[in-house]
Amino acid sequence: LLSTSAVRSAVLQSPHPEIHVPDASFAEHMMRDWEKYSNNVALVDGATGETVSYSMLKDRVIRCASALTRMGFKKGDVLALYAHNVPDYATVFIAVGVLGGTVTALNPLYTIDELSTQLKRSSSSILVVAPSSVKNAIAAKSQCPNVKEVIVFGNVDGIRPFTNLLEDDGHAFPENVDINVDEDVLALPYSSGTTGLPKGVMLTHKNIVANVEQLRHHGVMGYVPLSDCLVGVLPFFHIYGQVVTLFTGLAAGVKIVTMPKFTLDDYLHIVHRHRATSLHVVPPIALRMAKYPDIHKFDLSSVRQVFSAAAPLSDTLSEEFSTVTGLSDIKQCYGLTETSPVTHCCPPRSWKSGSIGVPVPNTKHKIVDIESNTPQGPMQEGELCVQGPQVMKGYANNPEATAECIKDGWFHTGDIGYLDADGHVFISDRLKELIKFKGFQVPPAELEAVILTNPAVLDVAVIGVDDEEAGELPKAFVVVKPHAQLLEIELQDYVKTKVAPYKRLRGGVEFVQEIPKTPTGKILRRMLKNRDQK
Ligand code: 4UU
């Protein structure tokens, strides 16, 4: 057993100085300094070239909040955003924040089933969509009586255009909505957490404001107002693009060029043309850049720093990236939807290849033994636990799942790692069942539920198999019903019709006699994984 002082020293503070996190609401905080930035560019639509200045953005927020109020949207209501990246993503989010409402964001590639599931669970009353998603939106609305109105970015016959909200005179803008920053939920993204189906993650105004300030700290991402330029290529529906690029960028007064869809060529053109200074990538983008023969045709000299997060970045890729692109070393960051998201980031001068760095300001961490929950010493593996103002309030309507991951004030990440002698963290494995395809969450339980609806399937287990490009690919182990017949391709096609493209069974299907389980019926995923690797 560790002595009390050793236990205490195994709980480590962030090496950064403590920062002040204001008690402001999200919208107040986002717009706090916008007077200073007024005519500077806030957002550029990378697809159309449309430019929005900070003063225009503020004006749009006021009109949008006023129009939403006229539509009956008020404090406690939920708006669903089902769209790819466009400048008005920010308008909607901040306007909902002003009103004390909640935004639940969805992947625009979600199928009707996936869309209506989240619309129902989140009790959304308004749905804002991209033109390409209108068909799905209408179909889902007919299944969700809670959804009162569909609004479209752009123009589609018969659907209220978002520009209509921006024509509002702003007179219904509520001046004083009472917001409790520690309690009121601003964002409700969905995450499967340690196990099971996706759950609503309640992120309060304080959670998001805290993470924005933690990231703005000069030793973390330290954007420079009015001179930095970011590329909004990672989707704003995921917590990474949403908080790290969009919110933190706008609070800091930088320019953000939004991209509706990633293609390597478009991305590099935008970096080149707009002189981007900080890049936020996921390992698959870093890999594509490192392997791109035409990379030298682009001028990347404006780039000052590159961050990677959402999935592990190997040493080899990190080095290859720097050699090929001539860019600075990639700094890894780490976090989860449940932590708004960032808890760790590599410090600028003392970064280590393969490490996720140190806790961001106002954040503590420890590594605990999985069985005994006691803190581990340096170089000893265990579960990474964190504490800080960015940790979610809890899972919506799910106190059991909340109690399973927040224990004694510590958030248990479900990731396995260790600290080196300098207190830098290395993630080595995942304790939880989650699969990550290109940084996106693929909850095995969700795919298992879908596969079980196939009439030929008796039992199933889904795991992630390693893949150089995507990180992991979902693979199903399937027990077929007696006398039934099922081909691998038939099941893959079946799944294709039910889930978003990134959740498809790209890792294949293996037919087995039985799924290994514990006496209580829990799937022994580790056993399947080990068997698969042999
Ligand atoms: C190994 O992916 C995220 C949040 C990502 C993020 C973004 C910007 C972190 C810091 C940042 O600056 O959230 P989720 O909820 O989709 O997935 C969380 C899981 C973690 O539990 C871990 O398993 O994603 C994995 N993960 C990582 N794994 C996240 N970052 C890393 C990393 N290395 N750097």
Side-chain angles (χ1 to χ4, degrees):
L1 270 179
L2 290 168
S3 70
T4 316
S5 64
V7 169
R8 225 181 275 129
S9 66
V11 174
L12 297 172
Q13 304 273 354
S14 165
H16 296 291
E18 185 90 0
I19 58 162
H20 171 67
V21 178
D23 277 326
S25 74
F26 168 69
E28 238 180 298
H29 190 66
M30 289 299 288
M31 301 194 286
R32 189 183 64 179
D33 296 328
W34 285 7
E35 296 294 317
K36 288 191 240 166
Y37 313 141
S38 56
N39 290 325
N40 291 279
V41 177
L43 293 149
V44 181
D45 187 326
T48 64
E50 184 208 13
T51 296
V52 184
S53 69
Y54 276 93
S55 55
M56 280 164 75
L57 186 56
K58 184 166 184 180
D59 180 65
R60 288 189 184 191
V61 167
I62 292 169
R63 290 171 190 273
C64 178
S66 171
L68 288 172
T69 304
R70 289 187 214 274
M71 290 166 64
F73 189 87
K74 55 181 190 314
K75 189 175 166 175
D77 289 350
V78 182
L79 179 146
L81 253 177
Y82 178 56
H84 47 243
N85 294 2
V86 286
D88 278 321
Y89 214 98
T91 313
V92 174
F93 229 113
I94 301 171
V96 169
V98 168
L99 302 176
T102 302
V103 173
T104 194
L106 303 100
N107 188 330
L109 299 177
Y110 270 7
T111 60
I112 298 166
D113 284 351
E114 291 167 319
L115 170 63
S116 35
T117 302
Q118 190 168 328
L119 288 174
K120 279 183 208 148
R121 292 215 182 116
S122 61
S123 308
S124 299
S125 59
I126 295 182
L127 174 57
V128 180
V129 305
S132 55
S133 308
V134 162
K135 257 198 184 145
N136 281 5
I138 307 255
K141 181 173 180 279
S142 69
Q143 299 171 21
C144 303
N146 48 301
V147 177
K148 303 282 182 275
E149 179 124 25
V150 177
I151 298 168
V152 65
F153 286 136
N155 283 301
V156 174
D157 271 356
I159 307 290
R160 183 171 184 163
F162 184 72
T163 45
N164 180 242
L165 277 67
L166 299 181
E167 285 157 8
D168 189 282
D169 62 10
H171 287 165
F173 182 81
E175 284 301 334
N176 283 311
V177 179
D178 187 23
I179 289 170
N180 181 333
V181 297
D182 295 308
E183 291 298 328
D184 294 344
V185 177
L186 168 75
L188 190 69
Y190 276 70
S191 163
S192 64
T194 312
T195 179
L197 296 173
K199 293 170 271 291
V201 176
M202 297 190 288
L203 299 178
T204 62
H205 288 252
K206 184 49 129 330
N207 290 150
I208 305 270
V209 168
N211 214 233
V212 163
E213 285 311 295
Q214 289 166 317
L215 292 173
R216 279 178 71 180
H217 183 70
H218 60 85
V220 184
M221 292 194 182
Y223 305 144
V224 183
L226 305 180
S227 73
D228 266 352
C229 171
L230 315 179
V231 185
V233 62
L234 300 177
F236 295 155
F237 64 77
H238 184 251
I239 197 79
Y240 186 175
Q242 193 176 99
V243 173
V244 183
T245 310
L246 190 65
F247 298 164
T248 308
L250 291 177
V254 307
K255 177 169 102 177
I256 302 170
V257 186
T258 63
M259 286 183 69
K261 188 172 175 278
F262 172 79
T263 72
L264 189 58
D265 232 45
D266 287 349
Y267 179 60
L268 294 171
H269 266 116
I270 284 179
V271 172
H272 173 130
R273 220 179 37 245
H274 290 274
R275 314 273 318 139
T277 55
S278 300
L279 304 186
H280 297 122
V281 302
V282 287
I285 296 185
L287 182 75
R288 293 284 305 279
M289 286 173 73
K291 303 272 183 217
Y292 192 44
D294 288 343
I295 191 97
H296 304 288
K297 295 190 178 148
F298 300 90
D299 176 7
L300 308 178
S301 63
S302 55
V303 178
R304 195 178 79 238
Q305 47 183 2
V306 186
F307 299 97
S308 171
L313 179 80
S314 70
D315 293 3
T316 343
L317 174 54
S318 185
E319 279 155 33
E320 196 182 345
F321 178 89
S322 303
T323 314
V324 171
T325 62
L327 294 176
S328 68
D329 307 307
I330 302 188
K331 294 187 200 92
Q332 262 203 101
C333 300
Y334 163 92
L336 310 88
T337 306
E338 286 83 347
T339 57
S340 304
V342 188
T343 62
H344 289 74
C345 200
C346 282
R349 274 173 296 278
S350 60
W351 75 280
K352 297 186 189 192
S353 185
S355 169
I356 57 161
V358 298
V360 295
N362 303 22
T363 304
K364 286 181 199 159
H365 67 175
K366 63 178 181 180
I367 301 278
V368 298
D369 181 82
I370 297 157
E371 303 298 328
S372 66
N373 204 28
T374 50
Q376 300 282 59
M379 308 311 287
Q380 291 181 307
E381 276 195 343
E383 186 178 13
L384 174 64
C385 301
V386 297
Q387 211 174 66
Q390 71 274 52
V391 175
M392 66 167 177
K393 183 171 149 184
Y395 292 116
N397 310 315
N398 202 334
E400 301 82 25
T402 307
E404 265 168 42
C405 64
I406 305 180
K407 296 176 206 153
D408 301 325
W410 285 94
F411 175 74
H412 290 244
T413 62
D415 289 308
I416 304 286
Y418 60 90
L419 289 161
D420 72 3
D422 300 324
H424 290 234
V425 180
F426 290 78
I427 298 290
S428 48
D429 201 356
R430 207 178 284 139
L431 183 60
K432 54 190 169 193
E433 64 193 33
L434 178 67
I435 300 167
K436 287 214 120 183
F437 174 81
K438 298 192 175 176
F440 291 117
Q441 287 203 4
V442 182
E446 198 185 332
L447 278 180
E448 287 157 6
V450 165
I451 295 169
L452 277 174
T453 62
N454 184 298
V457 173
L458 182 67
D459 204 359
V460 61
V462 173
I463 61 161
V465 294
D466 292 343
D467 178 74
E468 195 203 358
E469 202 195 327
E472 286 172 293
L473 302 175
K475 167 174 179 176
F477 290 84
V478 173
V479 183
V480 175
K481 279 184 189 159
H483 313 299
Q485 289 205 333
L486 186 63
L487 296 172
E488 171 168 16
I489 185 76
E490 286 172 342
L491 187 62
Q492 283 175 316
D493 284 346
Y494 180 77
V495 170
K496 226 187 233 182
T497 62
K498 308 251 173 204
V499 299
Y502 69 93
K503 295 181 194 164
R504 288 177 189 166
L505 293 176
R506 289 186 168 82
V509 178
E510 189 174 326
F511 294 101
V512 292
Q513 295 301 316
E514 192 184 13
I515 302 295
K517 289 185 186 161
T518 64
T520 58
K522 249 186 98 187
I523 297 168
L524 289 164
R525 293 174 201 280
R526 183 60 56 180
M527 196 186 260
L528 286 170
K529 261 197 132 138
N530 293 343
R531 206 161 79 192
D532 198 70
Q533 275 157 5
K534 274 186 202 135

